[in-house]
Amino acid sequence: MLDSHWPVTRLYGCLLALGLVVQWGCEHGEAHHHRRPTDINEYLARLDRPERDDYQKPQEVVDALALQPGMAVADLGSGSGYFTRRFVDAVTGTGTVYAIDVEPEMLAYVKHSVEAMPRPSRIEYILANEADPKLPQQSVDLIFVCNTYHHLENRTSYFARLKPALKPGGRIAVVDFYADERSGPIGFPRRHLVSRETVIEEITGAGFHLSKEHAFLPRQYFLEFTS
């Protein structure tokens, strides 16, 4: 859900005035496929729709990550900022949040919504490419990847390149849809999803190990890795 201090209609207006092209996200189109929605208002409403909270359980996810004021978090594939804004609240103005996306229009969307929040924040916007998230070395305590893993290619080498960005003791958290019927309706062919077991195998191959698994999400696995 959008932050209550950022009216959706105002955000729609900003985006339409800028003529933005937004990403057709992982819940609404095939992986690696981008297009301009025919109705941008309808698209934005779906991307941050309140009903998503029912299965995504965002506050429970943030609580499970045990974030503290002053921490640094990277939201890899930040999309609409659904979790970015919540991370801003969790780490407070003494922490840092990195919003990372390959779509400049998505970063503009996040920037508008974060700037409207009443809490002071330190947030960096990184326009990444498909092979490099461009995080500074030893910059973050947590790299969070929600509904984005199945969009990535060459994932083992990708996550191996992420290791230098983590501070000592840093973590990677992956949330994505189950590759079977547990995921429910996802709006694109299920063959694009990556199984929990494959995620563990690939990230283990990048030099990490599974340190924790949370089982409260009905449609998604939620895995934490450390080096």
Side-chain angles (χ1 to χ4, degrees), residues 92-150:
T92 74
T94 62
T96 303
V97 177
Y98 293 85
I100 305 170
D101 210 289
V102 298
E103 297 288 341
E105 297 82 9
M106 290 304 241
L107 292 178
Y109 182 105
V110 178
K111 187 172 188 291
H112 280 298
S113 64
V114 170
E115 287 178 347
M117 294 175 66
R119 179 185 294 280
S121 62
R122 292 196 300 177
I123 183 164
E124 301 285 339
Y125 302 93
I126 298 179
L127 180 62
N129 59 50
E130 293 182 358
D132 185 3
K134 300 182 180 180
L135 274 169
Q137 289 196 4
Q138 293 196 3
S139 58
V140 293
D141 299 288
L142 172 71
I143 297 173
F144 181 78
V145 189
C146 182
N147 300 346
T148 298
Y149 192 91
H150 64 271

Side-chain angles (χ1 to χ4, degrees), residues 2 6-24 28 35-51 80 106 109:
L2 284 170
W6 181 255
V8 174
T9 52
R10 182 182 172 193
L11 185 54
Y12 292 164
C14 290
L15 289 166
L16 290 170
L18 290 169
L20 296 181
V21 179
V22 298
Q23 181 179 4
W24 189 242
H28 308 294
R35 61 169 176 157
R36 182 184 180 92
T38 54
D39 185 337
I40 194 168
N41 287 7
E42 188 266 346
Y43 165 72
L44 292 172
R46 290 181 65 186
L47 194 62
D48 270 318
R49 65 198 185 281
E51 293 81 5
S80 67
M106 290 304 241
Y109 182 105

Side-chain angles (χ1 to χ4, degrees), residues 59-75:
Q59 192 55 55
E60 290 183 48
V61 170
V62 173
D63 291 344
L65 292 169
L67 298 176
Q68 301 295 322
M71 282 186 169
V73 179
D75 190 2

Side-chain angles (χ1 to χ4, degrees), residues 46-57:
R46 290 181 65 186
L47 194 62
D48 270 318
R49 65 198 185 281
E51 293 81 5
R52 179 180 175 184
D53 293 357
D54 294 340
Y55 73 84
Q56 192 69 79
K57 302 184 184 299

Side-chain angles (χ1 to χ4, degrees), residues 54-57 178 182-183 215-220:
D54 294 340
Y55 73 84
Q56 192 69 79
K57 302 184 184 299
Y178 287 112
R182 287 175 291 178
S183 59
F216 59 83
L217 295 176
R219 298 173 59 188
Q220 299 157 300

